[in-house]
Amino acid sequence: MASIAIWASIAMLTGMMATVGAAKAQDVAATPAASAAPAVTIPNLWDPNRRLDRPATTALTGIRFTTTDDFPPFNFTGPDGKLTGFNVDLARAICRELSVPCTIQARPWDGLVETIAAGRVDAALAGIAITPENRAKLDFSDVYLRPVARFAGRKGETAARLNAEGLAGRKIAVTKGSSHEAYLAAFFPASTRVAVDTPGAAEEALKAGSVDLVFGDGVQLAFWLQSEPAAGCCDFVGGAYVEPHFFGQGLAIALPPNRNDLRLAVNWALDSLYDKGVFAELYLRYFPVGYF
């Protein structure tokens, strides 16, 4: 997925998501996150003081969603051959909240922006980057998830000195040429950056103890930490780093231009799903090790 390059490496998660895909048969329950997994931070990108009026949807006869099938855990083909993932279930939840029928179809990434811009589909949950170039062709919903960067260290690593001074001279594995390497250079210049070719190589270096920390994409690291290859060696250290200049504006639903009615309806549904706990249930389903 070229649109959000820092998340491209999570294509390896297809196999790791098989269990999640098989377990998702139940409908989304509106269960507050606090009662499900109190240790996991649920990202909240909505203003708690904002109160949106439910938009009129009488003219909205249905929503034709599109996505891709190669971006786990957001959208991928499950072990039963059906389209699944966080984005897919979120699209279904939006339609239920609006009480409108919807279809969800996978399409190739190439040409997807043009397909939406031409109105051949109504909405896309496919990680299309919110850039000036894309904004000139498309409209976007509110952001519902953001990419974050995280440090991970071996068990027992403390976050007490997780600042520029405290990391001076410490070895930090990072993917060569990535936005994470650029972020370390900008904000932790005195650390010793160990640039490697892939996120997997950074993780192996941490597990082997040849570096003190790894800095990378939160989603990628969350799934590695719970994986068999990690063997329980490591944990997240410190909090999430959210910097749009380095890591992107976040995930939003791409819409055709001049569909203000649809944008207002989708934004209301997203806000309502968060208030009811449905968004939290989806997040916990697909991100059992929270990355925020």
Side-chain angles (χ1 to χ4, degrees):
M1 298 290 289
S3 66
I4 304 181
I6 61 169
W7 288 6
S9 61
I10 67 170
M12 63 167 287
L13 298 177
T14 304
M16 297 171 65
M17 289 305 300
T19 301
V20 173
K24 65 169 289 297
Q26 295 182 345
D27 288 337
V28 177
T31 303
S35 64
V40 177
T41 298
I42 305 298
N44 183 357
L45 305 181
W46 286 270
D47 181 354
N49 297 316
R50 184 178 73 166
R51 290 294 179 265
L52 298 179
D53 294 329
R54 178 169 183 145
T57 58
T58 52
L60 196 62
T61 57
I63 304 177
R64 297 168 298 167
F65 279 103
T66 191
T67 187
T68 61
D69 60 2
D70 58 355
F71 193 38
F74 295 95
N75 21 273
F76 61 101
T77 301
D80 58 359
K82 295 180 180 179
L83 191 63
T84 189
F86 179 88
N87 283 340
V88 176
D89 281 355
L90 181 61
R92 294 187 177 117
I94 288 170
C95 289
R96 283 196 298 269
E97 196 66 17
L98 293 171
S99 300
V100 298
C102 73
T103 59
I104 307 171
Q105 183 181 20
R107 290 174 180 261
W109 174 255
D110 291 342
L112 189 55
V113 170
E114 288 70 25
T115 295
I116 304 160
R120 291 192 289 271
V121 297
D122 296 316
L125 290 92
I128 295 174
I130 306 171
T131 63
E133 180 183 14
N134 284 336
R135 280 195 179 277
K137 301 176 182 178
L138 308 173
D139 199 358
F140 287 92
S141 73
D142 292 340
V143 171
Y144 60 87
L145 268 181
R146 291 191 186 279
V148 302
R150 295 293 303 264
F151 282 104
R154 294 184 62 81
K155 294 281 189 181
E157 179 70 39
T158 177
R161 298 283 290 171
L162 206 62
N163 52 42
E165 181 182 354
L167 293 185
R170 302 202 72 190
K171 293 182 179 180
I172 305 174
V174 66
T175 304
K176 187 185 304 181
S178 67
S179 56
H180 303 97
E181 184 182 24
Y183 190 87
L184 285 179
F187 295 100
F188 299 92
S191 66
T192 301
R193 296 185 299 280
V194 180
V196 295
D197 291 331
T198 66
E203 294 156 0
E204 285 302 312
L206 177 63
K207 182 181 176 182
S210 58
V211 297
D212 300 303
L213 297 162
V214 62
F215 186 66
D217 175 61
V219 175
Q220 168 75 29
L221 286 171
F223 279 90
W224 176 69
L225 290 172
Q226 65 180 313
S227 71
E228 185 175 339
C233 71
C234 310
D235 281 320
F236 279 131
V237 181
Y241 292 80
V242 180
E243 174 48 65
H245 177 72
F246 287 89
F247 309 129
Q249 297 292 325
L251 291 181
I253 300 171
L255 307 165
N258 304 317
R259 286 297 309 273
N260 192 52
D261 61 331
L262 183 57
R263 180 177 57 81
L264 291 175
V266 167
N267 284 344
W268 176 85
L270 287 171
D271 194 80
S272 181
L273 290 172
Y274 189 88
D275 285 345
K276 292 180 177 180
V278 177
F279 183 90
E281 201 281 335
L282 283 177
Y283 182 82
L284 292 171
R285 175 185 297 177
Y286 287 101
F287 305 100
V289 175
Y291 67 93
F292 272 79

